[in-house]
Amino acid sequence: RLIEPGTTVKSIRVGQSVDLVWDTTGTYRQRFRFEFGKSATGPWTTLPNMGSVLDSGARRGRFATGVVFRPADVTTTGYIRMVLLSDTTKSDINDAPFAITAPLPTSVDSVLRGEISGRVKLHNTKIYGLDGYVYVNDGAVLEIEPGTIILGDTVGQNSVLCINRGGKIIAKGTPKLPIVFTSNAIVGQRARGDWGGVVICGKARTNHPGGQAAIEGGIADVNPGGRGWFGGTDDDDSSGVLSYVRVEFAGIAVAPNNELNGLTLGGVGRKTQMDHIQVSYSNDDAFEWFGGSVNAKYLIATGTLDDDFDTDNGFSGKVQFGIAQRFRSVADVSTSQTFESDNDANSSYNQPLTQAVFSNVTSIGGVQDTSWTPGSGATQYNSRFGAAVQIRRNSRLAIHNSLFVGWPRGIEIAQSPTMQAALADSIEVRSSSWYGVKGTVMNLAGLTGTQTPPAGFDAQWVAKPAFGNIVDKKSPDLALISNPFVTTVEFNPALTSGSPALSGAAFAGRADDSFFDRVEYRGAVGLERWDEVWTEYDPVNREYRAQQPTSVREDDHARAGMNGSVFPNPTMDAATVRYQLADADVVTIRLTDATGSVAASFVSNAAQQAGVYEFRLITADLASGLYFLTISGQRGTMTLPVTVTR
């Protein structure tokens, strides 16, 4: 008998995962096929990864987060059929239909689709939409102006921006003009899982056998080395720049343990620049590193479903200043932590080992008061929260100078090889503080059968005096953080005067590295905030607009190797356009209206020598309004506003 969805789950948002629940009392270890249809009589389509589900063990009566519906599935009369494979005449459907919904979309000015093989520049005077999977290929460059808005398709199909091995993204925002990747849904209707997120695949080392692997999430080519494959031998590889960037409402679960995250980094090299990045409302992990050597500073994870900082497959980078803000009711079926770290899924000793170093992280858990209990009430937290830190499967993670408040558990070390590594000081948890831990601070997990922790390793490990850690279980308030538990724009992670975390940082062990700024405080923020101006703590209700066009400054033109003017401007029937090329270039000149539609095209991929050029711009047939003359070449782009009056 099929129970859910349909009994209590009456509506499902596209992109978000839902449990399948059934009752097979009287049978055991049977296999079933699960199908979807838009009516009680079909036609039926087998759900992905659910053509042969064994009703046994962990999946006895339940397939947790087993189904993710796509935009094409939208209906008010959704049904799932459960078919017994050994006798297909026996089946059942849910008693009542459920709805599959998608939000209303935002209009866009221009669409990115398919593969980018050259150099493409996105301008902040337009709002761009991603149509499906967009790949930046080997040798190609996607350059994005500060303040540009890119929307992931929520209604038509799932969408992802993937930078392939050898491709580059140059997304260099500013504090006042951050670059924003967000949902295509209208204000107030955005939600986790609206699109697939940003994926960067580099050429740095991983510990996958053979060196390369397909990125999770179902966007990679079947053939090794194709689109969506990552890894190599070049730890100094560069995939470009992400600076002052926000990624919102991303992450889609293709299947359990096969998800796209907010920002997914596979084999990304250390010459990639990453700083000031906020991932908000991710439907899986906020940041996940699969191998690679990239370093980063100033990372923020807001309202994540699963883990905030997930490190796997030999990631060896360094990260300083990270904020993780959890919502008390939001956690994943797999349990949610700020840190989850594996060497690989098999707990192997494959090289390179996962040995990332994090310093100065502030982690705000879901337990505002240690008197709270698991549940869904106003003074309860999601029962699926785990420990603030989970190090397992033979990882060698290092965490220094960090601050954890409001968690059910403090730290968990899982599996015997990981415990052996901790005992040998290959894992470092140093100069960090926990306040307001409801349950146990130190947890040993993953031991099976007759296994016991290695001699000398016990629940007191994290509290060794030499490690310099502080544990005060009584209350999160003891950390004296300004306003940590609100889930609105009032969120403030800065310390207040008198906080015990204002001192006590120490840069020893693997944190004794020139990459790390020698601050005195523990956690990501001292008395002064660095997360203001460019961040957004209420992206559901933020209204996004393209920047108003303005004349490009002459020094910007000079850097692009161009300068130019339009006169008279405003104009009625005609104007003169004069521009200068500092170097020979291949030039395209177009006039577009305020919506981005081409009103006229003058030159297309014309080879021009360095010098001054002039032509007559006829505007007599154009309606009154604002237009943009774009002169673009291989060395840069210049945009000149043109006002037509009648």
Side-chain angles (χ1 to χ4, degrees):
R1 175 174 170 262
L2 189 66
I3 301 172
E4 293 289 2
T7 301
T8 58
V9 179
K10 298 294 187 181
S11 181
I12 303 167
R13 173 79 168 247
V14 294
Q16 295 183 344
S17 56
V18 64
D19 292 0
L20 283 187
V21 182
W22 60 87
D23 180 7
T24 52
T25 301
T27 68
Y28 187 63
R29 296 193 61 83
Q30 294 290 314
R31 288 190 175 273
F32 294 87
R33 181 174 69 244
F34 292 87
E35 304 167 328
F36 169 70
K38 293 185 178 181
S39 78
T41 58
W44 303 102
T45 302
T46 302
L47 291 166
N49 305 301
M50 303 202 71
S52 179
V53 177
L54 180 63
D55 181 38
S56 180
R59 288 186 179 158
R60 177 67 168 166
R62 180 182 294 268
F63 196 139
T65 66
V67 181
V68 179
F69 290 102
R70 303 298 184 225
D73 299 329
V74 169
T75 182
T76 58
T77 56
Y79 287 87
I80 289 177
R81 184 168 71 166
M82 179 180 184
V83 181
L84 180 64
L85 292 186
S86 62
D87 183 355
T88 56
T89 65
K90 295 180 179 179
S91 65
D92 187 42
I93 64 173
N94 40 293
D95 292 336
F98 54 87
I100 301 171
T101 63
L104 295 173
T106 301
S107 61
V108 299
D109 301 313
S110 186
V111 174
L112 298 178
R113 58 173 58 91
E115 301 182 25
I116 295 173
S117 298
R119 188 180 187 98
V120 171
K121 185 172 184 178
L122 306 186
H123 300 278
N124 61 20
T125 54
K126 293 183 179 181
I127 291 181
Y128 294 86
L130 298 176
D131 182 10
Y133 301 159
V134 178
Y135 298 91
V136 179
N137 288 338
D138 186 2
V141 177
L142 176 63
E143 182 181 356
I144 306 174
E145 278 189 340
T148 303
I149 309 298
I150 302 99
L151 305 182
D153 190 357
T154 307
V155 178
Q157 58 183 317
N158 295 321
S159 55
V160 175
L161 176 63
C162 178
I163 314 303
N164 286 326
R165 294 172 75 252
K168 284 184 171 58
I169 180 171
I170 309 298
K172 197 167 186 178
T174 68
K176 292 186 177 180
L177 290 174
I179 293 164
V180 181
F181 295 89
T182 191
S183 165
N184 190 38
I186 63 173
V187 173
Q189 293 190 13
R190 303 173 185 133
R192 293 176 185 83
D194 276 350
W195 65 293
V198 177
V199 177
I200 302 179
C201 298
K203 298 180 180 179
R205 290 182 301 155
T206 79
N207 62 25
H208 287 95
Q212 290 191 39
I215 205 74
E216 286 186 357
I219 68 167
D221 287 348
V222 174
N223 296 324
R227 298 176 305 180
W229 284 72
F230 66 92
T233 58
D234 185 5
D235 283 349
D236 288 326
D237 183 40
S238 173
S239 295
V241 178
L242 262 70
S243 180
Y244 291 102
V245 170
R246 300 205 302 264
V247 181
E248 301 169 349
F249 307 105
I252 292 175
V254 176
N257 300 315
N258 187 10
E259 306 95 353
L260 289 164
N261 308 288
L263 180 59
T264 305
L265 304 166
V268 178
R270 66 170 62 95
K271 288 193 175 179
T272 306
Q273 178 186 338
M274 288 183 58
D275 64 84
H276 297 91
I277 303 170
Q278 181 182 25
V279 176
S280 302
Y281 291 73
S282 175
N283 199 41
D284 193 57
D285 299 329
F287 300 84
E288 183 161 14
W289 293 263
F290 294 96
S293 51
V294 63
N295 302 320
K297 286 186 177 180
Y298 305 108
L299 305 183
I300 302 176
T302 304
T304 308
L305 177 65
D306 195 8
D307 307 313
D308 301 301
F309 305 119
D310 192 336
T311 56
D312 307 286
N313 295 110
F315 175 50
S316 62
K318 298 178 283 286
V319 178
Q320 189 178 24
F321 307 121
I323 299 170
Q325 179 200 17
R326 307 299 310 205
F327 296 171
R328 64 174 181 81
S329 62
V330 179
D332 193 28
V333 66
S334 65
T335 72
S336 297
Q337 293 84 208
T338 282
F339 286 99
E340 181 181 89
S341 186
D342 303 338
N343 192 50
D344 61 14
N346 299 316
S347 305
S348 79
Y349 287 85
N350 288 349
Q351 301 285 331
L353 296 171
T354 298
Q355 50 186 350
V357 184
F358 285 77
S359 182
N360 297 97
V361 172
T362 294
S363 167
I364 311 298
V367 186
Q368 184 172 347
D369 190 305
T370 53
S371 68
W372 285 13
T373 57
S376 56
T379 58
Q380 294 181 303
Y381 58 90
N382 195 307
S383 62
R384 292 171 171 173
F385 277 117
V389 176
Q390 184 187 60
I391 306 174
R392 62 182 191 179
R393 295 176 179 170
N394 211 15
S395 169
R396 301 294 193 272
L397 191 70
I399 299 172
H400 290 251
N401 306 315
S402 293
L403 178 60
F404 304 94
V405 299
W407 281 89
R409 301 192 299 277
I411 181 171
E412 179 174 287
I413 306 292
Q415 289 91 38
S416 180
T418 324
M419 297 174 192
Q420 293 281 4
L423 187 62
D425 286 340
S426 295
I427 292 172
E428 295 179 353
V429 180
R430 306 285 193 270
S431 304
S432 295
S433 302
W434 280 261
Y435 293 97
V437 180
K438 182 174 177 62
T440 53
V441 174
M442 182 70 196
N443 305 273
L444 309 182
L447 298 172
T448 60
T450 59
Q451 289 181 326
T452 59
F457 184 76
D458 56 28
Q460 303 305 312
W461 175 80
V462 74
K464 286 184 177 181
F467 293 172
N469 296 316
I470 295 173
V471 176
D472 193 327
K473 295 183 59 177
K474 291 189 291 293
S475 172
D477 295 339
L478 295 172
L480 294 181
I481 299 174
S482 295
N483 202 1
F485 289 104
V486 296
T487 58
T488 66
V489 294
E490 301 302 318
F491 173 71
N492 185 348
L495 300 176
T496 61
S497 179
S499 169
L502 283 171
S503 61
F507 293 86
R510 284 154 59 192
D512 185 11
D513 188 287
S514 61
F515 171 81
F516 295 108
D517 297 338
R518 262 54 174 182
V519 297
E520 295 182 357
Y521 54 85
R522 297 183 178 188
V525 189
L527 294 173
E528 297 182 3
R529 298 176 66 176
W530 49 261
D531 66 314
E532 293 183 290
V533 182
W534 64 278
T535 54
E536 177 55 64
Y537 289 111
D538 185 17
V540 174
N541 298 303
R542 174 66 179 266
E543 184 175 356
Y544 289 115
R545 296 180 180 178
Q547 297 297 309
Q548 289 296 315
T550 57
S551 298
V552 180
R553 300 174 307 178
E554 289 187 6
D555 59 341
D556 288 338
H557 292 170
R559 284 197 295 271
M562 302 177 181
N563 61 69
S565 60
V566 178
F567 55 92
N569 193 10
T571 182
M572 292 183 63
D573 296 326
T576 298
V577 177
R578 181 179 297 156
Y579 66 96
Q580 181 176 9
L581 301 179
D583 301 283
D585 210 336
V586 178
V587 174
T588 295
I589 303 175
R590 289 189 175 91
L591 185 72
T592 61
D593 62 20
T595 68
S597 299
V598 176
S601 182
F602 302 96
V603 175
S604 180
N605 294 321
Q608 295 184 342
Q609 299 300 312
V612 177
Y613 294 83
E614 187 175 289
F615 66 91
R616 195 71 170 156
L617 173 63
I618 305 302
T619 59
D621 296 331
L622 298 177
S624 297
L626 182 62
Y627 295 81
F628 305 100
L629 187 74
T630 301
I631 304 172
S632 58
Q634 295 176 341
R635 297 178 179 273
T637 298
M638 173 173 60
T639 300
L640 303 172
V642 180
T643 301
V644 177
T645 61
R646 291 282 176 260

